[in-house]
Amino acid sequence: MRIFFILLKKEIKEMLTIPLIVSLVAVLFVFYMIGSVVGKQNKTSAARNNVVVLDFDKSGLSKRIIKSLTDGEYIVKDASSGNLLDAFSNHEYEEESFFMVIPKGLERDFNLEKKHTIEIYARFNKNLSGYSSSYSASKIRKGIERINKDLGVHIIEKKFPLANVEFIKNPVLMEEFVVIGDSIARVSVKRVLLFVHSQTYFFPIAVFFLVFMAAQMIMTAVAGEKENKTLETLLSSPIDRRILVISKLSAAAIVAALLSGGYMFGMRSFMSGIMGQKTAGIALSAQDAFVKLGLIMGPADYLMIGVSLLFCILCALVIALILGVLSEDVKSVGATMTPLMMLIMISYLLPMFIDIGRASFVVKLLLYSIPFTHAFIAPQNILAHNHAAVMWGIVYQAVIFAIFVTIAGKIFSGEALLTFKLRFGKSK
Amino acid sequence: MSKVCNILPMSAVNVLNLVKKYKDFEAVKGLSFDIKEREIFALVGPNGVGKSTTLKMLSTILSPTGGSVEIFGLDIVKDSKEIRKIISYLPEEAGAYKTLTGYEYLRFMASIFFRDKKQVLKTVEYGAEICGLKDKLKDKVKTYSKGMTRKLLLSRAVMIKPRFAILDEPTSGLDILNSFEIRKIIKQLAKDGMTVLLSSHNMFEIEFLSDRLGIMNNGKLLACGAPRDLKEKFSTNDLEEVFIKLIQ
Ligand SMILES: Nc1ncnc2c1ncn2[C@@H]1O[C@H](COP(=O)(O)OP(=O)(O)OP(=O)(O)O)[C@@H](O)[C@H]1O
Ligand SMILES: [Mg+2]
């Protein structure tokens, strides 16, 4: 035990290098910065609910259209004094991206029941990227829907003065229910999806980062010991070789946990920056429904996800340890790591794009046989009340871990450690 | 097999018909020699003849393909755990943990061998003294020159005062003065009771240091004996000449 802590201390010192800490801080800073900048910009574009209107009809109907927009919390700017090109070039409307032209004769045609056109101009600000462009698009679509609906009501009011307009507007009331397992709750599907998304969004990214960092650290550490021959020194010393293996695994797990903690923190501020308080508000109002649906995870659920994650990391670490032992030196770690990285990538990316439950047998077999998959999909399974799947995943991961620890033990007790070299590319 | 070295029953180390095969290449082909207690025994030979391979087998980090080795009555295969407690191995071209300071490295290695804090401290003090790095011990190992690292590692190997020290080219990379210091230390330690097996390419060093030497070629021992005896046998007063005559 004493030796274990001596080794652990040494390993952590070796792994927690200044470049590593600097890179973590840099990543956190980038996340924080992107989060806050995006958050700020979204707030300003949300606030800019502006429409520049050129009303050439100047009729009761056009007034009604404008009112319909202002009722919809749009800020209407009147530019009817000039033509459209004037409005575009006007400094006052430099920042505006939403222009509406109400042509002359709209009311007249409307009364004759002849279709007429209102023109909408969406102006892009120099580049076509960014969140605000798609945001403007949905804003414009909503504005048009609003006007059409309002004009429909206007027609009904005119033709059937006695009609119950409110009823005609929404003759049937929709009630949405969501069913998860045995639980049913009255809540919109959209809200549930948003909530589930927000709950499961960080997780795979953090797991991926964590596993990657841990694997890389342990591989570099082992390959470094091999390159420096410090491994030979340790192997000829009275240290129990199992303790050598365990201390390396533990140190990498501890350092990786620290890093992932920092990473999760960065991600959280990043995401909350992007989403703002909007999502939080939605989540709050639907809280009861989520509780009813069992979507609010309890301590036991978190524990299960944690255990699954732990075994995922342990599996990755022990595989990385073996790969590290087989690589010739620190420089070749990148290449030797490829097989492990491929497995992690598959189990990270594939479940994001396909529904594992409906995938073909081969794909299912592939995904479930990679131990990491079980950790990546643990939160979804928990939210879907599929605890058994998580349990079996943990059992499977534990079995894989035990197998690889045995292999690692075998390698460390033999001499393959010193004589075996995994080479990529041409051998000398 | 020709008998180049007499095996005495009272030896500290007994090597008998030692063979090592790497996959399909036989690096050591039936090596037999012995080392008496407190003796300094040197293995010499051209590059790639199997010196380091032999030393690694005696350090229990490579397992022999054939033959046997006994160190103080312990078998290197069966009793490897016991052997590791009484030996110390210095690999050739080795480094230390780059993020540790020289002092931390010595303390780390000392605490592997000793439980007692006082003993660890004493050992580290002794190691610090013989490596002669003084204040540099407070610097990180990665700032060390080749020779400084070598001195640190050598002190590490002998500071625990092992019964049997296996030193692969102990003074390679060291300047004349430092080599001289290190040789004196090794000699003194042998006098105090340490048995030493080393490899070297420096005939002057071997003549000064070793009680006996074995000259190796192609995984086999060609000659074995005290420097004086070998010189006599080949009727020359230069050990290098003995070597050249044997290898050619
Ligand atoms: N891990 C290995 N796998 C295969 N062959 C090896 C391995 N290590 C050493 N050899 C081969 O075994 C032979 C002996 O190597 P060894 O390192 O023991 O030589 P050496 O006598 O110490 O040489 P030098 O004086 O250069 O240090 C060499 O031909 C070498 O190519
Ligand atoms: Mg050698």
Side-chain angles (χ1 to χ4, degrees):
Chain A
M1 217 43 200
R2 185 188 62 95
I3 293 278
F4 170 75
F5 282 113
I6 292 171
L7 285 171
L8 188 71
K9 201 174 124 195
K10 189 264 300 179
E11 295 296 345
I12 291 178
K13 231 179 196 159
E14 281 266 289
M15 288 174 188
L16 211 58
T17 53
I18 290 171
L20 187 73
I21 295 168
V22 169
S23 79
L24 176 73
V25 171
V27 167
L28 286 182
F29 178 72
V30 167
F31 272 132
Y32 173 78
M33 222 181 55
I34 294 178
S36 64
V37 167
V38 169
K40 227 177 258 164
Q41 206 202 324
N42 284 354
K43 247 177 244 156
T44 51
S45 40
R48 248 195 305 115
N49 231 356
N50 295 353
V51 194
V52 179
V53 176
L54 292 87
D55 182 5
F56 298 131
D57 201 37
K58 296 239 169 6
S59 60
L61 187 70
S62 69
K63 295 256 152 48
R64 184 160 183 144
I65 288 171
I66 290 165
K67 185 169 181 298
S68 154
L69 283 173
T70 41
D71 286 353
E73 285 170 0
Y74 286 85
I75 295 163
V76 175
K77 296 189 173 177
D78 188 17
S80 314
S81 49
N83 64 20
L84 188 62
L85 293 178
D86 294 337
F88 283 160
S89 55
N90 193 330
H91 275 299
E92 204 181 321
Y93 311 129
E94 209 171 34
E95 295 283 309
E96 303 303 337
S97 54
F98 187 8
F99 295 79
M100 182 185 276
V101 178
I102 303 173
K104 207 167 166 55
L106 182 76
E107 188 173 40
R108 191 192 60 222
D109 285 352
F110 186 83
N111 290 337
L112 296 173
E113 287 185 30
K114 236 167 86 184
K115 268 200 177 168
H116 211 101
T117 316
I118 291 176
E119 289 163 351
I120 307 285
Y121 294 85
R123 182 165 68 174
F124 283 106
N125 289 327
K126 306 217 168 45
N127 66 48
L128 292 181
S129 71
Y131 188 73
S132 65
S133 307
S134 66
Y135 188 76
S136 318
S138 86
K139 207 164 68 178
I140 290 169
R141 194 174 39 78
K142 277 194 190 131
I144 296 167
E145 267 169 21
R146 203 184 159 80
I147 291 168
N148 259 327
K149 198 166 181 181
D150 213 50
L151 291 182
V153 170
H154 182 62
I155 295 169
I156 292 164
E157 274 172 353
K158 264 180 76 176
K159 294 222 159 171
F160 311 99
L162 296 177
N164 181 344
V165 180
E166 278 313 309
F167 175 72
I168 290 169
K169 257 166 132 178
N170 292 305
V172 177
L173 287 177
M174 289 286 185
E175 287 263 52
E176 278 181 73
F177 292 89
V178 167
V179 186
I180 298 177
D182 301 330
S183 328
I184 301 177
R186 209 183 80 186
V187 63
S188 91
V189 182
K190 199 173 154 191
R191 279 180 187 191
V192 170
L193 285 178
L194 240 150
F195 179 72
V196 169
H197 188 68
S198 74
Q199 292 290 294
T200 53
Y201 191 89
F202 311 106
F203 189 74
I205 306 174
V207 173
F208 180 75
F209 182 78
L210 182 66
V211 170
F212 177 80
M213 292 300 272
Q216 200 180 31
M217 266 184 315
I218 200 161
M219 282 186 75
T220 314
V222 181
E225 288 230 21
K226 214 176 153 180
E227 195 180 319
N228 282 329
K229 308 261 178 97
T230 46
L231 190 59
E232 294 188 11
T233 311
L234 289 184
L235 292 177
S236 69
S237 81
I239 297 177
D240 186 332
R241 294 183 176 190
R242 280 169 305 185
I243 293 184
L244 218 57
V245 175
I246 296 169
S247 66
K248 276 216 176 342
L249 291 177
S250 317
I254 289 172
V255 174
L258 273 176
L259 291 182
S260 74
Y263 183 78
M264 287 283 259
F265 179 77
M267 269 315 268
R268 206 155 260 284
S269 65
F270 168 66
M271 289 307 289
S272 64
I274 285 185
M275 293 188 176
Q277 279 98 22
K278 239 173 163 181
T279 352
I282 288 172
L284 205 68
S285 66
Q287 190 82 8
D288 291 345
F290 294 152
V291 171
K292 217 169 156 192
L293 288 170
L295 288 178
I296 308 294
M297 285 193 261
D301 297 326
Y302 281 113
L303 187 70
M304 271 179 99
I305 294 174
V307 173
S308 181
L309 179 60
L310 178 72
F311 274 103
C312 169
I313 295 166
L314 288 176
C315 282
L317 282 179
V318 69
I319 294 173
L321 181 71
I322 292 170
L323 289 174
V325 158
L326 300 183
S327 32
E328 204 173 342
D329 49 29
V330 175
K331 261 187 291 177
S332 61
V333 159
T336 330
M337 204 173 156
T338 317
L340 180 63
M341 281 318 296
M342 274 165 60
L343 289 184
I344 298 172
M345 293 283 259
I346 291 173
S347 57
Y348 166 44
L349 293 175
L350 221 49
M352 297 208 306
F353 299 113
I354 63 163
D355 183 348
I356 302 186
R358 295 203 185 126
S360 73
F361 179 71
V362 181
V363 175
K364 249 190 216 172
L365 192 69
L366 171 76
L367 278 174
Y368 284 135
S369 64
I370 302 175
F372 317 123
T373 311
H374 300 279
F376 279 118
I377 61 173
Q380 278 112 296
N381 274 331
I382 292 278
L383 288 178
H385 302 194
N386 203 351
H387 289 77
V390 182
M391 261 335 281
W392 281 114
I394 292 173
V395 170
Y396 177 71
Q397 287 174 316
V399 170
I400 294 286
F401 176 63
I403 291 173
F404 276 101
V405 163
T406 313
I407 295 174
K410 278 252 151 56
I411 293 178
F412 265 82
S413 62
E415 60 168 46
L417 206 52
L418 300 179
T419 55
F420 195 92
K421 275 165 193 164
L422 205 63
R423 270 208 196 91
F424 287 85
K426 65 169 194 261
S427 58
K428 73 168 173 192
Chain B
M1 207 214 88
S2 65
K3 223 175 173 189
V4 274
C5 233
N6 290 328
I7 313 287
L8 300 169
M10 295 301 291
S11 301
V13 180
N14 268 315
V15 180
L16 199 66
N17 288 335
L18 190 62
V19 175
K20 179 66 198 180
K21 244 184 180 163
Y22 290 114
K23 284 192 196 108
D24 45 4
F25 177 74
E26 208 173 45
V28 176
K29 306 167 180 167
L31 204 61
S32 300
F33 63 89
D34 75 319
I35 307 170
K36 291 186 234 7
E37 199 160 355
R38 299 181 181 208
E39 191 179 37
I40 300 178
F41 189 94
L43 274 182
V44 268
N47 292 123
V49 297
K51 300 183 297 293
S52 297
T53 306
T54 306
L55 265 47
K56 278 179 197 166
M57 283 190 280
L58 265 67
S59 314
T60 74
I61 57 174
L62 283 187
S63 39
T65 318
S68 69
V69 179
E70 271 192 5
I71 297 172
F72 293 107
L74 299 166
D75 184 87
I76 52 160
V77 180
K78 281 203 308 259
D79 311 314
S80 56
K81 276 194 188 129
E82 290 306 307
I83 288 184
R84 285 177 196 143
K85 288 180 189 158
I86 56 167
I87 63 163
S88 185
Y89 167 58
L90 172 71
E92 59 182 335
E93 288 174 3
Y97 300 104
K98 295 206 163 59
T99 51
L100 300 188
T101 65
Y103 190 77
E104 282 171 332
Y105 176 68
L106 291 181
R107 202 176 44 204
F108 168 68
M109 291 306 294
S111 48
I112 287 174
F113 284 87
F114 303 113
R115 258 174 187 285
D116 183 40
K117 273 212 172 99
K118 268 192 205 138
Q119 178 135 34
V120 169
L121 218 68
K122 236 176 73 190
T123 308
V124 173
E125 253 166 46
Y126 178 56
E129 186 196 316
I130 52 178
C131 76
L133 287 171
K134 302 203 179 87
D135 277 352
K136 292 277 187 185
L137 277 176
K138 287 182 200 139
D139 294 345
K140 292 242 157 85
V141 171
K142 64 179 163 204
T143 65
Y144 286 13
S145 74
K146 195 171 82 182
M148 287 162 73
T149 310
R150 197 70 188 154
K151 276 201 287 186
L152 179 72
L153 291 182
L154 190 93
S155 336
R156 184 273 303 161
V158 295
M159 72 180 178
I160 57 163
K161 298 199 174 146
R163 277 188 83 183
F164 181 40
I166 303 166
L167 312 172
D168 204 344
E169 302 183 23
T171 58
S172 80
L174 292 187
D175 64 42
I176 296 170
L177 218 60
N178 278 313
S179 306
F180 177 71
E181 290 287 322
I182 293 293
R183 279 177 208 134
K184 264 194 354 202
I185 290 166
I186 295 175
K187 207 153 187 173
Q188 183 58 46
L189 284 166
K191 239 184 219 156
D192 295 348
M194 190 169 78
T195 307
V196 180
L197 169 63
L198 55 86
S199 82
S200 178
H201 290 297
N202 185 338
M203 281 300 176
F204 169 78
E205 170 171 301
I206 287 159
E207 202 155 1
F208 171 80
L209 205 54
S210 64
D211 299 305
R212 283 192 304 143
L213 70 150
I215 299 177
M216 273 183 88
N217 200 10
N218 295 325
K220 283 183 188 149
L221 210 56
L222 300 181
C224 175
R228 191 164 13 93
D229 297 344
L230 284 178
K231 283 191 285 191
E232 219 163 80
K233 200 171 158 191
F234 288 82
S235 46
T236 164
N237 49 20
D238 186 354
L239 205 53
E240 256 175 35
E241 234 180 281
V242 176
F243 181 84
I244 292 165
K245 273 186 181 162
L246 267 171
I247 301 301
Q248 285 171 349

